[in-house]
Amino acid sequence: MTSSQVGKSYDEHGRNDVVSGDAPEEGYERGLGSRQVQMIAIGGAIGVGLFLGAGANIAKAGPSLILMYALAGVIIFFIMRALGELLLYRPVSGSFAEYSREFLGPFFGYFTAWTYWLMWVVTGMAELTAAAIYVHYWFPSVPQWVTALVFLVVLFVANLISVKLFGEIEFWFSMVKVTALIGMIVIGLGVLTFGFSAAGDTAAVSNLWAFDGFFPKGIGSSLMTLQGVMFAYLAVELVGVTAGESEDPEKTLPKAINTLPWRIALFYVGALTVILCVVKWTEFAPGVSPFVKAFAVIGIPAGAAIVNFVVLTAALSSCNSGMYSTGRMLRTLADNGEAPRVFSKLSASKTPALGITVSVAFMGIGVVLNYVVPEKAFGYVTSVATAAGIWTWLMILVSHVLYRRAVDAGRLRASSFPAPGGAVCSWIAIAFLLFVTGLIAYDADSRVCLYVMAVWAVALGIGWWVLKARNPEVTSRREPELENVG
């Protein structure tokens, strides 16, 4: 590689928009500092799946939901370490879509990028639905669809300004979520230890098994909650999308990924354990945040309102991240000739404004769902988002397995951030995700998402056929030119 190319690597189409080392992503502003990337990573693990979805899952599985979150958390860590190894082998905007393109072929890169876009669009719908439900807590007379529409417009405007503003908004959103969760854990431990509040007399660790045991509905019912649990972990891979706009990806990304276990242990397993000790599981119901319910039972009405505000910010934070991700994915697709070229253009503030705008327009379907079927909107969109997320995670894992195979054969250099256990942990995670997919297929209510994904696959297949007919070069496989970034 010539001296003029130092610090850059080239993708399979010969463009130098692949970030390597300290070189900036061409066009994007490298505006996300370590502080923001760390908090985005933390906030990505705390979303509406925990704050709202956990209520329905507690009703289905009882205290055993804690074990399901812990089990899924281990798998998520395997996925993120696999992604981390790939990111430090070749940090690139588009992340897992580019790795799918490199190791599995152009079609898989194309399919993964579009499917990740779909995941965030429907996740945005879920977050808007959740936000509308939270506002309903204060203003029951306001229709859900009106609230969802207002939030959609406000976040859309905020997203167009700059990546620095996005990072700052996410930093403070995540700070609110983290502070509130820690506060709830501390208060819950105080109730358990000192017995104060209206819940003091009934709060006990024995609540975890006193009401029909730890698996009150049976192990099978507990396993069926895994699909909802996996939805709660969607967005942890967002740090991979930020690689192209991080100031120092070689330092910030490994740190963000390595802190994942304690985040899962504290915010998911820890928070749910405390709540289920303070309030018996039989008092939780679908559609109500378990955190709001816990504070109401403790007897702090203002506390419940505060928690409701916190979970509202969590929903808006995730929707905000979705707008960020979808715009970048559309630009990656456009750069590879797999979406209209117009999506590759950046605004004066160096944001993919058109891609964000189109994505937000599709998120508006969530507003329609809130108008037509407000009671089912959340369940529909979360199941579709989970199916799309599982595909994305599978592509990360399969790409990692193929990458490790190439490294062992001496065809590619080793990453500076190898995953513990090598490809073995990736194989375990692949088996787990296929098992969850089987659970989705078994469940009549969530099975509809597989039909949606089948239609989506057919649509993408037709799109690929059209691309191949119009421009065969776009669909041909080319090896990227690499530079050591470790």
Side-chain angles (χ1 to χ4, degrees), residues 171-334:
F171 175 84
W172 290 107
F173 268 154
S174 295
M175 184 66 77
V176 169
K177 291 187 288 187
V178 169
T179 303
L181 269 179
I182 293 174
M184 284 186 280
I185 291 172
V186 170
I187 291 173
L189 289 174
V191 172
L192 282 170
T193 304
F194 303 107
F196 64 80
S197 86
D201 294 336
T202 56
V205 176
S206 61
N207 283 341
L208 294 178
W209 59 81
F211 300 93
D212 298 323
F214 190 69
F215 292 91
K217 300 289 185 73
I219 295 179
S221 182
S222 299
L223 290 175
M224 290 304 294
T225 65
L226 281 174
Q227 51 188 303
V229 169
M230 296 308 289
F231 173 78
Y233 285 119
L234 292 184
V236 293
E237 75 290 326
L238 184 63
V239 292
V241 182
T242 67
E245 292 169 277
S246 303
E247 289 177 353
D248 192 357
E250 286 82 6
K251 292 181 180 179
T252 57
L253 295 179
K255 185 177 180 182
I257 291 170
N258 278 335
T259 56
L260 186 64
W262 73 260
R263 283 185 270 132
I264 290 173
L266 177 64
F267 299 131
Y268 281 90
V269 178
L272 282 175
T273 300
V274 170
I275 282 180
L276 289 171
C277 287
V278 172
V279 183
K280 58 184 180 181
W281 73 269
T282 53
E283 295 190 28
F284 296 100
V288 178
S289 169
F291 296 89
V292 174
K293 175 67 176 178
F295 267 75
V297 172
I298 288 172
I300 312 175
I306 291 171
V307 174
N308 199 64
F309 170 76
V310 171
V311 296
L312 173 62
T313 64
L316 297 179
S317 167
S318 186
C319 188
N320 191 38
S321 296
M323 292 182 186
Y324 170 89
S325 301
T326 51
R328 271 74 185 169
M329 273 297 164
L330 283 181
R331 188 176 186 235
T332 296
L333 284 159

Side-chain angles (χ1 to χ4, degrees), residues 33-397:
S34 176
R35 169 180 65 92
Q36 294 166 325
V37 172
Q38 294 298 319
M39 198 55 75
I40 287 171
I42 294 173
I46 308 170
V48 70
L50 172 64
F51 283 126
L52 180 60
N57 287 326
I58 290 172
K60 291 179 182 177
S64 64
L65 184 65
I66 298 168
L67 181 60
M68 298 302 106
Y69 270 103
L71 175 62
V74 172
I75 299 301
I76 290 296
F77 181 63
F78 290 167
I79 295 170
M80 289 304 295
R81 281 306 302 257
L83 177 59
E85 182 166 359
L86 291 169
L87 284 171
L88 270 295
Y89 146 70
R90 188 164 74 98
V92 51
S93 178
S95 182
F96 21 83
E98 287 299 316
Y99 303 132
S100 300
R101 184 173 285 108
E102 177 179 349
F103 295 106
L104 289 158
F107 174 76
F108 286 92
Y110 155 86
F111 195 100
T112 301
W114 274 112
T115 301
Y116 192 66
W117 175 85
L118 174 70
M119 186 200 88
W120 270 113
V121 166
V122 294
T123 298
M125 294 180 192
E127 306 297 358
L128 289 170
T129 301
I133 291 172
Y134 296 145
V135 171
H136 190 75
Y137 176 86
W138 291 302
F139 307 103
S141 61
V142 178
Q144 277 185 211
W145 72 269
V146 173
T147 309
L149 179 61
V150 170
F151 285 138
L152 181 70
V153 172
V154 171
L155 290 177
F156 168 60
V157 173
N159 240 273
L160 295 181
I161 298 176
S162 74
V163 68
K164 285 185 177 179
L165 180 60
F166 160 79
E168 203 59 30
I169 289 173
E170 281 306 297
F171 175 84
W172 290 107
F173 268 154
S174 295
M175 184 66 77
V176 169
K177 291 187 288 187
V178 169
T179 303
L181 269 179
I182 293 174
M184 284 186 280
I185 291 172
V186 170
I187 291 173
L189 289 174
V191 172
L192 282 170
T193 304
F194 303 107
F196 64 80
S197 86
D201 294 336
T202 56
V205 176
S206 61
N207 283 341
L208 294 178
W209 59 81
F211 300 93
D212 298 323
F214 190 69
F215 292 91
K217 300 289 185 73
I219 295 179
S221 182
S222 299
L223 290 175
M224 290 304 294
T225 65
L226 281 174
Q227 51 188 303
V229 169
M230 296 308 289
F231 173 78
Y233 285 119
L234 292 184
V236 293
E237 75 290 326
L238 184 63
V239 292
V241 182
T242 67
E245 292 169 277
S246 303
E247 289 177 353
D248 192 357
E250 286 82 6
K251 292 181 180 179
T252 57
L253 295 179
K255 185 177 180 182
I257 291 170
N258 278 335
T259 56
L260 186 64
W262 73 260
R263 283 185 270 132
I264 290 173
L266 177 64
F267 299 131
Y268 281 90
V269 178
L272 282 175
T273 300
V274 170
I275 282 180
L276 289 171
C277 287
V278 172
V279 183
K280 58 184 180 181
W281 73 269
T282 53
E283 295 190 28
F284 296 100
V288 178
S289 169
F291 296 89
V292 174
K293 175 67 176 178
F295 267 75
V297 172
I298 288 172
I300 312 175
I306 291 171
V307 174
N308 199 64
F309 170 76
V310 171
V311 296
L312 173 62
T313 64
L316 297 179
S317 167
S318 186
C319 188
N320 191 38
S321 296
M323 292 182 186
Y324 170 89
S325 301
T326 51
R328 271 74 185 169
M329 273 297 164
L330 283 181
R331 188 176 186 235
T332 296
L333 284 159
D335 284 344
N336 283 292
E338 296 164 352
R341 280 289 176 187
V342 69
F343 288 128
S344 65
K345 294 180 180 179
L346 295 178
S347 67
S349 58
K350 297 184 179 180
T351 60
L354 183 61
I356 294 172
T357 303
V358 171
S359 301
V360 167
F362 277 94
M363 287 181 190
I365 296 173
V367 177
V368 177
L369 284 175
N370 274 282
Y371 177 76
V372 179
V373 283
E375 71 286 350
K376 295 182 178 180
F378 186 75
Y380 284 157
V381 294
T382 54
S383 63
V384 174
T386 302
I390 287 174
W391 173 269
T392 300
W393 290 334
L394 281 172
M395 289 301 98
I396 291 172
L397 293 166

